Every structure is written in C-alpha cells, then in structure tokens.
Amino acid sequence: MRKPIIIGNWKMNTNLSDAVVLTTDIKNHIGSLDIDVVLCPPSIYIYPVAEIVDRGPKNLEVGAQNIWFAEKGAMTGEISATMLKGLAKYVILGHSERRSHFAESDTLVNDKIQTALKNNLTPIVCVGEIKKMTESKNRGRPTKIDLRSDIFTQLKNTLKNINRIDAEKLIIAYEPVWAIGTGNAATGAYASDVIEKLRDIIAKKYNKSLSERIRILYGGSVDSENVREYIYQPEIDGVLVGGSSLKSKEFIRICKEAAGRE
Ligand code: PGA
C-alpha cells in the first residue's frame, strides 16, 4: 500500500516571516493525518523551516527545490546536496521551470538524481509534456496517449544508470507543463492514464513489483477543490502543489482531503 504524499513547492515566494507562519500553521494541523507532507521552501528559508519542522510531527519533512550535481566548488548561487544534510530529506529535480528557464537537460537531471541519492536525499523527479496530447475539449482526456511524448523519454533518460535499489527510493511527479500555474488542471482520468504508462516503463526497466511500489504524483493547478479528483485514482499517490501551497488554510485542506478527513 503506497502512502499518499503531499508536497508543497513554494517556488520563489514567501519572505522570512511568511515562511515561518506558513510552516507553523501546517505543522499544527497535519500531525494526525495518515499521509506524508513535505514543504519545499526557497533555499534561503530551508534552515528556519527545518527548525520548526524538527519540533513538528513525524509525517512532516522539508525538501529543497533544487541542488547542483557537484558536492562543492565554484558554482556561484547554487546549493549542494551535502549542504542539505540535517536540514532536508527530499529534493525536487527536473521541474519544468528548471528545464525551461535554466535549460536543464535530462542528463543534468540524471546527474543531480545520482548526487541526491548518494547523499540520502529522496529525489522528487518531475516529468511532463509541454503540449497537451489531445485536442479533446474534455480538459485534456486523451483519446490515445502518444507513447512518443516527451514524458516517456524524460522518464527513460532520467532513470539511466539508476539501479533497482536506488530506483526504489525515487518519487516521480507527473506534471504536464500546460497545467502548471494555468488553472487548467488535467483530469484525474488523464493523469491516471499517463501515470499507468509511466509505471509500465518502470516495470519494463526494473520489475512489476517495483513499479507498483514507487510513488507517482500528479502536479499542475491542484487546489482544495480538485484534489479529490486525483487522490481517489488508484494510480495516483499524492500531489505536488505550487500556488495552493502558499496559503496555509488551503494547503491544510488539501492535506485533509488527501487523508480522507475533510
Ligand atoms: P501549480 O504548480 O500548482 O501552481 O500549478 C505546480 C508545480 O509547479 O509544481
């Protein structure tokens, strides 16, 4: 049984006091829920957020939004996996904003995954197609999933040279780029169809049982109103939330819905 996980990606938002208030609110409300919750603040606020999370419930953890693949050196503005030791347990890698604004390739994402794993960070690996695979009016429910889509290539490239034991530690987030920050969320059925195909790729590369154990999330315009659509799909193990993770009430509602408590 895969435990649901809800991840808040704050992106380049909040200031120090927002970060403290948001974390404290969330910490005080999610302890009794049977789900995992991860907060991914901007790197400058990881330390204060981690201090609050440390005093919080066991199901709350901190994640980084990015790392560089080397462990130290001349890389102005970057942070390394070793710097996160004792502060964060997760790291988002391959987010579409990193891929598009910072030209991150699958190879770079793969290098970062290897470094994260070496440093005991759980990679949350994002994959997603830029364009909708269908012209269907039904909020992106494809008549047929195109197996040549970028999503599947991204996943295959991302898993290059990652052995079975390490693959077991990954979390995959399916985030269609057209759904991120647009209010145009994919339907649960669409996300579920794609995630099923992602599991097939994992089963083919490793084995069926691993593909059934690995957690795969949906992300893209998730809010407290539509989260149920994903959470009750057996293929989907949680959500990666951007905009709606910045308001504590909204994010707590998402967590409660995911735990079946709202
Ligand atoms: P959104 O972002 O929820 O604001 O669409 C999701 C993400 O980019 O992870």
Side-chain angles (χ1 to χ4, degrees):
M1 190 53 191
R2 304 182 298 254
K3 196 174 189 181
I5 180 163
I6 308 298
I7 300 170
N9 174 12
W10 297 0
K11 307 191 181 183
M12 197 176 69
N13 293 297
T14 69
N15 56 32
L16 179 57
S17 69
D18 292 343
V20 167
V21 171
L22 190 52
T23 309
T24 309
D25 269 0
I26 294 165
K27 175 198 89 164
N28 292 340
H29 286 90
I30 57 103
S32 63
L33 307 177
D34 191 20
I35 53 168
D36 292 325
V37 179
V38 181
L39 305 181
C40 303
S43 57
I44 191 167
Y45 303 134
I46 287 177
Y47 187 84
V49 166
E51 275 200 319
I52 301 166
V53 166
D54 245 9
R55 301 191 297 270
K58 278 205 175 68
N59 61 342
L60 182 63
E61 294 289 353
V62 181
Q65 294 177 17
N66 181 37
I67 50 166
W68 188 244
F69 70 87
E71 290 175 0
K72 62 178 181 173
M75 197 47 69
T76 304
E78 290 291 323
I79 63 164
S80 74
T82 49
M83 291 172 186
L84 294 171
K85 213 180 167 139
L87 296 172
K89 291 234 168 91
Y90 296 80
V91 60
I92 299 174
L93 295 174
H95 191 280
S96 69
E97 287 150 18
R98 302 280 330 164
R99 291 178 189 268
S100 63
H101 304 312
F102 302 93
E104 291 200 2
S105 64
D106 289 346
T107 313
L108 179 61
V109 175
N110 180 268
D111 285 344
K112 291 181 176 195
I113 295 172
Q114 312 261 14
T115 306
L117 289 166
K118 214 169 103 200
N119 288 280
N120 293 320
L121 286 168
T122 299
I124 302 158
V125 184
C126 303
V127 294
E129 79 281 16
I130 291 169
K131 274 204 192 130
K132 253 188 208 177
M133 279 185 282
T134 174
E135 292 309 313
S136 155
K137 289 201 180 76
N138 184 15
R139 277 210 290 135
R141 174 83 202 249
T143 41
K144 194 168 176 284
I145 288 177
D146 183 356
L147 291 173
R148 292 159 310 177
S149 160
D150 337 338
I151 324 166
F152 307 111
T153 335
Q154 276 172 6
L155 185 69
K156 283 181 202 151
N157 292 343
T158 291
L159 296 178
K160 231 179 202 166
N161 302 324
I162 293 182
N163 64 33
R164 190 179 49 76
I165 295 164
D166 279 343
E168 190 98 39
K169 301 173 192 155
L170 304 178
I171 293 177
I172 311 289
Y174 167 53
E175 295 212 306
V177 179
W178 50 266
I180 297 177
T182 58
N184 180 25
T187 59
Y190 176 95
S192 175
D193 285 355
V194 174
I195 289 175
E196 209 184 307
K197 296 285 176 293
L198 295 174
R199 285 195 201 282
D200 287 348
I201 290 175
I202 295 168
K204 222 169 164 188
K205 182 167 166 89
Y206 303 100
N207 57 57
K208 183 130 181 75
S209 124
L210 193 150
S211 77
E212 284 165 355
R213 283 197 305 278
I214 201 161
R215 289 194 283 192
I216 309 188
L217 321 180
Y218 166 75
S221 296
V222 174
D223 58 28
S224 61
E225 296 295 318
N226 65 15
V227 63
R228 275 171 192 238
E229 186 160 347
Y230 310 106
I231 266 331
Y232 293 117
Q233 296 279 351
E235 289 294 337
I236 307 181
D237 304 314
V239 284
L240 176 51
V241 188
S244 297
S245 70
L246 294 168
K247 293 168 234 129
S248 57
K249 265 202 185 131
E250 175 71 0
F251 188 69
I252 292 162
R253 267 190 69 195
I254 293 174
C255 293
K256 287 186 174 167
E257 290 279 5
R261 296 274 286 276
E262 187 78 343

